[in-house]
């Protein structure tokens, strides 16, 4: 503390005041501070560097001034001024937050909020005074009431904390009396989230009574009654009545959500039958889900944890009393829960475990989305995953025992989704963590003795069990899902399965799974999150293909992802800006909600490097082969474009990013300089992300040599009469057998007009010189066939047979324009674009099998292949149009 | 060497897709070739027989295996049981059987199934129960090893039966019987009939359909490698998309037979290219010398490798129950398929080799073809004479010189323009049709 005093000493009084408060919160944070810590830590950072940032002081000063102003307004009961000040302070708060980069509002602000709230309550209670007020003043008072209530919800935690423990040394404040009132009551009681909620309620209650008396008096009285009730008098009926009362208050205006949770939690302690306890626990969990309103934010982490513990308790009850059945289809009869534990026959309780579990998972996911991934908080949050997995495992076991395999499959999917992206190392780390966490928790639980009528022993294990390898776990879960899941569950599980296989370098298995499941065909009919999963799977598959050295396959997996400038969007790893249209806020929000948490990200640089290298290896020899060809056959449009851009530059600077590196390598490769090409690529930073880095680099080197050889032959064959095998082998540092194989392939595929002279081990080139007349004749025939083709197309468009083809082709060309024109189209357009990306993927990949892209050998077949490739594109276009229309209708 | 032989033995993969009775010929073959210890095979045989009704046979094997005279108790019991059951089934099916044995009565049957059923019911008091009994009886006969009887009854049953499921299994039974009786022509007919049903019928699930296809292909192996025209048929069947997919997904070992058929058969050369692509896709999941041979020649152009593989292939063919069928010719036996395979494989290598060379040393060529110099020369001369090869032999330097096969410019031009008139003609026709359609509208 003194550190701050000494540092802040030179500043104004107010300033030091604020500085004090920061560590203050940290001290009083109690156990909870684990989460707040990061926030206050960053405050710390800022404090030490404060000299460099005078802007911050200024903001604080402004804020303090506003607070003073507010105090003055209060003294004269001027609500109009107060309202203005309130707006002002909110604006200032934003600035302060931005400057300090704090996650938490400064205490000064919280203090003023508390002050305002108390004053407001006072004013509202004083009916007499209210009547005397001027109209404008009372209007301001009312609007203030609304605003404050809304605003305070955001800072509810902080306010409560502040009320518990305002700084003692603060003496200037006029509203001190209220604070000290709080101080008198025990400040150490609250804010231990893992503490037993019941005892917490009892101690804390009077505190709240005093401060919140006026506003929440009804609730509090109820609570008080609950607690002060003599245990002997508590009957089932009484508990039931109270429960109904509390539940009825849920969702009503003015019901404090935390209060509700606390009350219900207390009720679970005094529940008379296990069924009742169960019923109330369900409500507790629902109430806990309600704590955070709105879709964007996430559930507070301590509440989340309590929620998981509650779920486990529910499972304990269900496992122990197996005559209790949870069901959400039948409306149970009023007194169902009055049946005692030893009632024979089924007791039905309303509830849906799967929905709860899914919600918990979603909240976990959301919290990871929201938390800044570079903080400790994020890591801490990740450590909670085993806890969730334990819960999911138990629920799944329970469902399997009960024979509800459909539900079990759904739960299994959630487990699959939290495992599939983890490589074996991460998985092992998680396994170890899970064991550690268990030990910690045991000691914690001993400290809190529970008093409750229905004591439930912990039947259900609190620790997840993991098989040795993640593959084993995936296999078990996935096969359960394939047997019992519904369509969507199965599709998702399949994608996760493929993803995981790809992660484990089982390219062939992953590919076969993908092709057999026909997911490419119908993925565009699925929801967006599944489509994103599909995209991510394709990316993972592409990386995997690269790792095992299958360049063509890798390229066909990745090329569609890179066909537009929307990789980030397609993988849900960030938002990509579009040049042509601004997104509506609604769209942006939707997109933000789809984002993947940071730890699941696929490294985009690596992905780009892999894609470009694959494109380079395929495109460079292709360009060399067709350099004089009128119809240029393009394998990777994206790569060509990049190459053009880089060639247009007057000076080539040393490579900086991935793209520059690959372009530099391409330039070297075009000249046949494989050594330099490899060196440039080798200097890339991303290779360190690969596990088997050396073997992969060797593979890349071999491929570069091979393609350099091919490029060389394409480019310079016309200058040679013959070339000897050993010279070529020496030149490109490739074994003779391989050179022989490569050159033979080129001969067979008629890429190279040459043949071997076996006795001398030479390649003899057959240069075909066409006379002028001959080449003119060739040109003529070519033009003739183009004419015939265009005739056919014109005919088709008239007769309607292939009309769609033509229009879709036009669409292809003007795609960007069309995108711009329909920019304002709103959401459907976005959706259609998603479909589009996918669509393309399909043609690139699915088409691959038919057109023999898999072969990777048959390079001579390009002519035929491009033909069918075009066809694929046309079909592509037409179905894209269909999807656009669908979007319109939807 | 023993090990590698066993490695390439497909019996464990093939057997699960066959009927018990169909496995016998394979076991006989293995016994003959002594790939496995005799005892082991005999034990397998007994195990196989235990589920069939061929108890007498099982007893014989048991005796020869343990060199004891008395059969085990359970076998004796089972025999009694089988006989009893045979009696009861015979009785149940008697009316229909006697009807069918009466030629004049059979002539009353017509092509109309409904009519037949009606007629049987009215005139002979033969109802569905008896027909069902006939099926059971036929099945029992099959189990007993009386294949010809089973085949006859099943044929009759099919003309009377109205249940599709049953009819299908009757067909399978008929096919098995014909195969075991080695009536290849009839078996082939049955196979095609079955194929139609499998392809046309909307099967319960695609999975089921695939399984049926796999069975069909496995059973077909018996026919294809014994029937005269089988090697073309096998390609026609296996190379269909649906069947090829089935092979790729669940039974890649069948690729061996398809590959062999492709090598041996000259008539299906055009499809070979497609098949090579399939091989490339599948070389991760299944390895086989014959497939590797094709890969060497057509994918990697590794002729030394191909030559090595050829030797392995020979081994595989001789020891494969379907491929290695022997023909006794006088006092020495040959495996006709092996000779054919080697001849064609050699031709494959040579063809491809010649395609990319303009001058080849005869010595090297002879080595590549597994022939001595003289033989190689004779072989090549023969090829040149039958104008399969456009080349000359330069005896002085001992080389073969290929004639350059540069496509003629004139030919190229003609090729380019050949399609144009046809296309235009078609276009005009379309246009006329279109206008006519418009006019009538």
């Amino acid at each position: 503390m003194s550190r701050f005093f000494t540092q802040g000493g030179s500043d104004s009084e107010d300033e030091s005041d604020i500085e004090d408060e920061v560590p203050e919160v940290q001290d009083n944070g109690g156990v909870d501070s684990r989460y707040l810590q990061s926030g206050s830590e960053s405050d710390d950072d800022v404090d030490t560097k404060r000299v460099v940032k005078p802007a911050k002081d200024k903001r604080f000063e402004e804020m303090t001034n506003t607070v003073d102003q507010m105090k003055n307004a209060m003294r004269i009961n001027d609500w109009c001024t107060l309202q203005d000040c309130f707006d002002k302070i909110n604006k200032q708060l934003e600035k302060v937050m931005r400057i300090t980069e704090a996650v938490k509002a400064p205490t000064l602000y919280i203090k003023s909020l508390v002050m305002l709230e108390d004053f407001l309550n006072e004013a509202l209670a004083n009916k007499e005074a209210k009547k005397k007020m001027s109209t404008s003043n009372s209007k301001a008072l009312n609007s203030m009431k609304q605003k404050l209530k809304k605003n305070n919800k955001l800072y509810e935690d902080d306010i409560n904390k502040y009320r518990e423990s305002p700084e003692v040394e603060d003496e200037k404040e006029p509203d001190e009396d209220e604070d000290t009132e709080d101080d008198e009551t025990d400040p150490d009681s609250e804010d231990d989230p893992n503490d037993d909620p019941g005892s917490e309620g009892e101690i804390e209650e009077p505190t709240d009574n005093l401060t919140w008396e006026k506003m929440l008096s009804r609730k509090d009285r109820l609570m008080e009654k609950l607690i002060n009730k003599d245990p002997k008098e508590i009957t089932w009926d009484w508990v039931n009545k109270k429960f109904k009362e509390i539940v009825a208050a849920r969702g009503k205006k003015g019901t404090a959500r935390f209060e509700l949770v606390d009350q219900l939690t207390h009720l679970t302690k005094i529940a008379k039958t296990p069924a009742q306890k169960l019923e109330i626990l369900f409500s507790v969990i629902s109430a806990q889900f309600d704590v955070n309103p709105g879709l964007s934010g996430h559930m507070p982490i301590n509440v989340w944890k309590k929620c998981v513990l509650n779920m486990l308790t529910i499972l304990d009850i269900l496992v122990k009393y197996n005559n209790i059945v949870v069901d959400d289809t039948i409306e149970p009869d009023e007194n169902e829960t009055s049946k005692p534990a030893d009632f024979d026959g089924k007791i039905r309780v309303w509830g849906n475990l799967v929905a709860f579990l899914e919600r918990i998972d979603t909240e976990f996911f959301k919290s990871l989305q929201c938390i800044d991934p570079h903080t400790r908080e994020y890591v801490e949050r990740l450590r909670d995953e085993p806890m969730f997995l334990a819960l999911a495992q138990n629920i799944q076991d329970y469902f399997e025992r009960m024979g509800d395999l459909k539900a079990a499959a759904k739960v299994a999917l959630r487990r699959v989704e939290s495992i599939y992206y983890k490589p074996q190392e991460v998985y092992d780390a998680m396994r170890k963590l899970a064991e550690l966490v268990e030990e910690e928790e045991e000691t914690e639980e001993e400290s809190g003795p529970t008093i409750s009528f229905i004591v439930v022993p912990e039947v259900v294990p609190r620790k997840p069990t993991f098989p040795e390898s993640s593959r084993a776990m995936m296999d078990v879960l996935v096969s359960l899902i394939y047997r019992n899941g519904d369509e969507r569950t199965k599709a998702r599980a399949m994608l996760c399965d493929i993803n995981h296989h790809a992660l484990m370098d089982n390219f062939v298995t992953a590919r076969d799974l993908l092709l057999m499941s026909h997911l490419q065909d119908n993925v565009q009919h699925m929801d967006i999150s599944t489509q994103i999963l599909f995209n991510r799977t394709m990316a993972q598959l592409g990386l995997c293909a690269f790792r095992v050295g299958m360049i063509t396959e890798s390229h066909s997996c990745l090329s569609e992802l890179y066909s537009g400038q929307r990789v980030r969007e397609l993988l849900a790893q960030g938002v990509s800006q579009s040049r042509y249209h601004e997104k509506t806020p609604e769209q942006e929000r939707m997109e933000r909600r789809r984002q993947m948490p940071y730890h699941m990200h696929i490294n985009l640089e690596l992905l780009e490097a892999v894609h470009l290298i694959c494109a380079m290896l395929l495109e460079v020899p292709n360009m060399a082969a067709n350099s004089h060809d009128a119809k240029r056959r393009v394998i990777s449009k994206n790569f060509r474009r990049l190459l053009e851009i880089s060639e247009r530059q007057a000076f080539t600077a040393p490579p900086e990013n991935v793209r520059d590196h690959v372009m530099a390598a391409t330039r070297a490769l075009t000249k046949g300089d494989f050594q330099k090409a490899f060196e440039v690529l080798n200097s890339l930073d991303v290779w360190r992300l690969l596990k088997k880095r050396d073997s992969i680099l060797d593979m890349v080197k071999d491929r570069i040599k091979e393609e350099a050889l091919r490029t060389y032959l394409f480019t310079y064959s016309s200058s040679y009469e013959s070339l000897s095998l050993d010279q070529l082998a020496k030149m490109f540092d490739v074994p003779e057998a391989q050179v022989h194989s490569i050159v033979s392939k080129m001969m067979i595929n008629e890429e190279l007009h040459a043949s071997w002279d076996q006795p001398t081990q030479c390649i003899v080139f057959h240069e075909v010189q066409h006379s002028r007349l001959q080449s003119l004749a060739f040109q003529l025939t070519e033009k003739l066939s183009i004419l015939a083709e265009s005739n056919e197309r014109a005919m088709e468009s008239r007769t309607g047979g292939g009309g769609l083809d033509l229009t879709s082709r036009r669409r292809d060309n003007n795609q960007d324009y069309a995108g711009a024109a329909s920019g304002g189209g709103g959401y459907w357009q976005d959706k259609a674009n998603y479909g589009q990306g996918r669509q393309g993927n399909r043609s690139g990949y699915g088409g691959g099998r038919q057109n023999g892209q898999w072969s990777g050998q048959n390079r001579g077949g390009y002519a035929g292949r491009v033909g069918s490739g075009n066809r694929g594109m046309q079909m592509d276009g037409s179905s894209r149009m269909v999807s656009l229309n669908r979007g319109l209708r939807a | 060497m023993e090990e590698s032989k066993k490695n390439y033995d497909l019996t464990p993969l093939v057997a699960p897709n066959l009927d018990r009775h169909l496995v016998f010929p394979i076991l006989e073959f293995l016994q003959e070739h002594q790939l496995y210890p005799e005892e082991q095979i005999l034990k397998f045989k007994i195990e196989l027989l235990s589920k069939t009704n061929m108890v007498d046979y099982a007893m014989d094997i048991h005796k020869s295996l343990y060199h004891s005279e008395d059969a085990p108790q359970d076998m004796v019991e089972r025999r009694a049981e089988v006989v009893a059951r045979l009696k009861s089934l015979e009785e149940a099916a008697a009316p229909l059987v006697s009807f069918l044995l009466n030629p004049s009565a059979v002539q009353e049957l017509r092509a109309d199934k409904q009519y037949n059923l009606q007629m049987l019911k009215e005139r002979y008091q033969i109802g569905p129960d008896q027909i069902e009994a006939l099926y059971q009886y036929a099945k029992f006969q099959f189990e007993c090893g009386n294949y010809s009887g089973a085949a006859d009854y099943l044929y009759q049953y099919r003309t009377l039966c109205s249940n599709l499921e049953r009819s299908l299994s009757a067909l399978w039974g008929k096919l098995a019987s014909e195969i075991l009786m080695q009536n290849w022509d009839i078996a082939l007919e049955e196979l095609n009939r079955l194929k139609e049903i499998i392809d046309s019928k909307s099967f319960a699930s695609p999975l089921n359909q695939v399984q049926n296809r796999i069975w069909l292909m496995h059973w077909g192996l018996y026919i294809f490698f014994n029937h005269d025209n089988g090697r073309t048929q096998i390609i026609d069947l296996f190379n269909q998309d649906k069947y090829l997919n089935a092979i790729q997904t669940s039974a890649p070992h069948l690729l061996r037979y398809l590959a062999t058929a492709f090598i041996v058969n000259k008539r299906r050369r055009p499809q070979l290219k497609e098949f090579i692509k399939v091989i490339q896709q599948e070389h991760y999941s299944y390895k086989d010398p014959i497939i590797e041979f094709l890969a060497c020649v057509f994918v990697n152009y590794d002729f030394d490798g191909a030559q090595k593989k050829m030797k392995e292939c020979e081994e595989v063919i001789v020891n494969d129950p379907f491929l290695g069928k022997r023909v006794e010719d006088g006092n020495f036996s040959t495996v006709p398929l092996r000779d054919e395979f080697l001849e064609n494989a050699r031709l494959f290598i040579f063809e491809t080799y010649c395609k990319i060379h303009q001058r080849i040393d005869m010595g090297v060529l002879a080595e590549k073809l597994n022939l001595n110099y003289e033989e190689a020369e004779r072989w090549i001369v023969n090829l040149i004479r039958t104008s399969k090869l456009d080349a000359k032999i330069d005896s002085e330097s001992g080389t073969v010189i290929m004639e350059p096969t540069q496509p003629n410019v004139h030919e190229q031009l003609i090729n380019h323009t050949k399609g144009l008139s046809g296309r235009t003609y078609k276009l005009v026709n379309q246009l006329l049709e279109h206008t006519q359609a418009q006019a009538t509208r």
Side-chain angles (χ1 to χ4, degrees), chain B residues 75-93:
Chain B
M75 280 197 186
V76 177
E77 276 167 22
R78 174 134 173 85
R79 186 170 194 287
E81 194 184 308
V82 166
V83 172
R85 183 147 164 72
L86 180 65
K87 284 264 156 54
S88 70
L89 280 173
E90 208 167 0
E91 270 166 36

Side-chain angles (χ1 to χ4, degrees), chain A residues 403-423:
Chain A
D404 188 354
L405 291 173
K406 267 215 165 91
K410 271 188 193 159
V411 179
L413 178 67
R414 291 289 166 161
R415 290 176 71 195
V416 166
E417 283 185 13
S418 53
I419 293 172
Y420 77 94
Y421 59 87
K422 292 188 169 74

